[in-house]
Amino acid sequence: MASDLVLDSRLESAKNTAWWLYLLHGVAFVFSAGTLSLLVLIINYVQRPSTEGTFVYSHHSWQIRTFWWYLVWFVVGWILAATFIGIVVAVPVWIAAWLWSAYRLIKGIMDLNANQAMP
């Protein structure tokens, strides 16, 4: 059972760091549409190697992938807005990208609290 997992102090510290990074990504998505998440992404890249071999490693990878895919869809929205297709299509793309990112951050923090690795 995941709740019976015994965490050593190093793993507990890594888990706390990942939890705070989820929170910071969430704040960045709410208040800056994800642009300030770039700073948190750098911390993810720095912290990920020290968690290799633990379930926390998958959470850093999950957050990193979430950021990059969100960025891809955010840019696609801007390209659509700049072309003849227009803002009518771009706005739903931005909303869908934001909701998808919110889902991934919520799912990630829930699985982190349950000591489960991300896919």
Side-chain angles (χ1 to χ4, degrees):
M1 260 199 173
S3 61
D4 293 338
L5 182 66
V6 176
L7 302 177
D8 63 12
S9 62
R10 184 182 70 84
L11 185 57
E12 187 64 33
S13 174
K15 182 180 170 186
N16 286 336
T17 300
W19 187 88
W20 280 104
L21 292 174
Y22 274 119
L23 185 67
L24 291 172
H25 274 294
V27 168
F29 278 108
V30 169
F31 292 110
S32 70
T35 55
L36 292 178
S37 234
L38 182 61
L39 301 172
V40 185
L41 177 74
I42 293 167
I43 299 169
N44 277 122
Y45 275 116
V46 169
Q47 291 294 315
R48 187 170 62 166
S50 67
T51 62
E52 194 163 0
T54 69
F55 73 94
V56 179
Y57 184 87
S58 68
H59 285 273
H60 286 293
S61 297
W62 179 264
Q63 291 176 49
I64 290 167
R65 284 192 314 266
T66 299
F67 174 86
W68 288 115
W69 279 109
Y70 174 79
L71 181 65
V72 165
W73 287 108
F74 191 75
V75 169
V76 166
W78 276 109
I79 291 169
L80 290 172
T83 64
F84 66 95
I85 297 172
I87 200 96
V88 174
V89 177
V91 169
V93 168
W94 289 327
I95 291 170
W98 193 91
L99 290 173
W100 175 82
S101 295
Y103 161 77
R104 285 181 61 99
L105 292 174
I106 292 167
K107 172 139 177 63
I109 206 163
M110 289 173 60
D111 285 356
L112 180 68
N113 286 336
N115 297 324
Q116 296 176 346
M118 298 310 296

